[in-house]
Amino acid sequence: MPFSPRVKGAVLGLSAAALFGVSAPVSKLLLPSSTPLLLASLLYLGGGLGLSVLELLRRMRGPGVKAAEASIGRRDVPLLAGVILCGGILGPVLMLLGLQRMSGVAASLLLNLEGPFTILLALWVFGEHLGRSGALAAGFIMAGAAVLGFQEGELRGDLMGMLALAGACLAWAVDNNLTQRLSLKDPLALVRIKALGSGTCTLVLAWMLGHPLPGAAVLGGALVLGFASYGLSIVLDAYALRLLGAAREAAYFATAPFVGALVSVPLLGERLRALDLVAGGLMATGVMLLLRERHGHEHTHATLEHEHLHVHDAHHQHPHPPGMPAAEPHSHPHHHAPLTHDHPHVSDLHHRHRH
Ligand SMILES: [Zn+2]
Ligand SMILES: [Zn+2]
Ligand SMILES: [Zn+2]
Ligand SMILES: [Zn+2]
Ligand SMILES: [Zn+2]
Ligand SMILES: [Zn+2]
């Protein structure tokens, strides 16, 4: 039996979080010979370049047996520009401004706001739905992230610093939700453009601010780390966004810092505190609750016109122009007629309705 989209989305979201979580402790090793802005840029570029190499290899092999995903078109440019502006420029710049004005502990606590902001935007602005059990599950995971971020040390900072860090999280939350809107398109291409765009923007910024490039070893290390933690991770995350919507994806992705804490043990010789285990327990509880969540009722699909890879399930009963092979899955622009039916669902792009 194939896994349900809910389970597939969970596995993809948690894998994305694990790959991303690794980047924090490894970055600590690279940071002394670089700056946060430059490192962020190199990580994005590593992701973008790695995915470009994959794309080249794919083209050299010629058309494969796997059906092609819907490609990114001109109509997607405004959303993509928003993604790069929020995620690649506003987010990093605001974070840097905030970091200068806040102590490390205070900053790492505040940066956890990305998850809750992503969920709130998804629910209030983008029409997603998270029932009581889903919200409780997300609450457990977010609480775990907060506990994990709590370290001995001074909580110091001013209002401007707090606003800047909160603003950075808001920018990333917008980025996540806009990426969700694009998630029916080819994730490899989507992330390649996003990573190259964001990496280039931050590189120009770092260059304007006079940040010197690190030596070849650190540079290479950052690019390789970027391929895993910003390239592959964001691709997996894009699939999770497609299958689950941004609210549930954000909950799974918020487990990333725990993976970072685990990796810090062998890598940096750090020890897990009792608090870290509490955090892990809270997160595990949240993940279990989210996996058990069920949501189903009679709902109506409005008319919808779009293009994506699909099989001809209950949502996709449409005619095909003569000459188009009806082999599944395939991708073409299609029209969704109004439809009322009852089945379990999450807030993917076909299920945005009032509750
Ligand atoms: Zn519903
Ligand atoms: Zn509904
Ligand atoms: Zn469709
Ligand atoms: Zn079709
Ligand atoms: Zn559709
Ligand atoms: Zn439906």
Side-chain angles (χ1 to χ4, degrees), residues 302-329:
T303 51
L304 179 63
E305 198 94 40
H306 63 183
E307 177 176 355
H308 63 94
L309 195 67
H310 59 271
V311 292
H312 299 112
D313 57 13
H315 296 104
H316 295 93
Q317 296 296 327
H318 46 240
H320 294 93
M324 174 184 288
E328 299 174 293

Side-chain angles (χ1 to χ4, degrees), residues 33-268:
S33 31
S34 184
T35 62
L37 184 64
L38 193 57
L39 190 59
S41 155
L42 293 175
L43 291 174
Y44 269 125
L45 286 175
L49 293 173
L51 293 176
S52 304
V53 171
L54 283 189
E55 172 67 14
L56 269 180
L57 291 176
R58 201 182 60 83
R59 288 207 187 156
M60 275 162 51
R61 265 186 314 166
V65 279
K66 269 190 76 186
E69 295 267 3
S71 54
I72 290 173
R74 193 169 299 170
R75 284 206 305 185
D76 302 317
V77 170
L79 279 179
L80 254 180
V83 163
I84 294 173
L85 176 71
C86 290
I89 305 177
L90 279 179
V93 169
L94 285 172
M95 181 182 74
L96 285 178
L97 291 177
L99 286 178
Q100 289 169 354
R101 292 167 164 268
M102 308 289 290
S103 70
V105 181
S108 77
L109 278 173
L110 272 173
L111 286 172
N112 284 322
L113 286 174
E114 179 182 346
F117 281 2
T118 300
I119 294 180
L120 292 179
L121 270 184
L123 301 184
W124 292 345
V125 181
F126 291 88
E128 290 191 22
H129 173 75
L130 193 65
R132 195 171 300 170
S133 58
L136 184 70
F140 267 103
I141 298 175
M142 303 296 162
V147 169
L148 200 67
F150 197 80
Q151 312 270 344
E152 299 267 333
E154 45 174 355
L155 285 171
R156 186 177 40 75
D158 59 11
L159 184 66
M160 281 305 289
M162 281 173 67
L163 287 178
L165 288 182
C169 292
L170 188 61
W172 283 316
V174 173
D175 167 10
N176 292 336
N177 277 286
L178 294 182
T179 304
Q180 204 280 331
R181 304 241 36 126
L182 288 167
S183 65
L184 286 179
K185 297 301 171 76
D186 181 5
L188 281 170
L190 175 63
V191 177
R192 188 174 71 236
I193 297 169
K194 173 178 173 172
L196 284 177
S198 302
T200 309
C201 290
T202 36
L203 186 68
V204 169
L205 206 67
W207 174 73
M208 288 193 315
L209 294 172
H211 297 193
L213 273 182
V218 170
L219 192 93
L223 291 176
V224 171
L225 175 65
F227 176 52
S229 292
Y230 280 60
L232 297 181
S233 165
I234 308 182
V235 170
L236 296 178
D237 201 49
Y239 280 109
L241 281 168
R242 171 192 288 182
L243 292 171
L244 301 174
R248 286 168 182 82
E249 171 274 341
Y252 286 123
F253 200 77
T255 60
F258 186 71
V259 177
L262 284 183
V263 173
S264 301
V265 175
L267 194 70
L268 304 174

Side-chain angles (χ1 to χ4, degrees), residues 325-341:
E328 299 174 293
H330 70 172
S331 177
H332 59 90
H334 56 270
H335 175 81
H336 287 259
L339 169 71
T340 299
H341 62 177

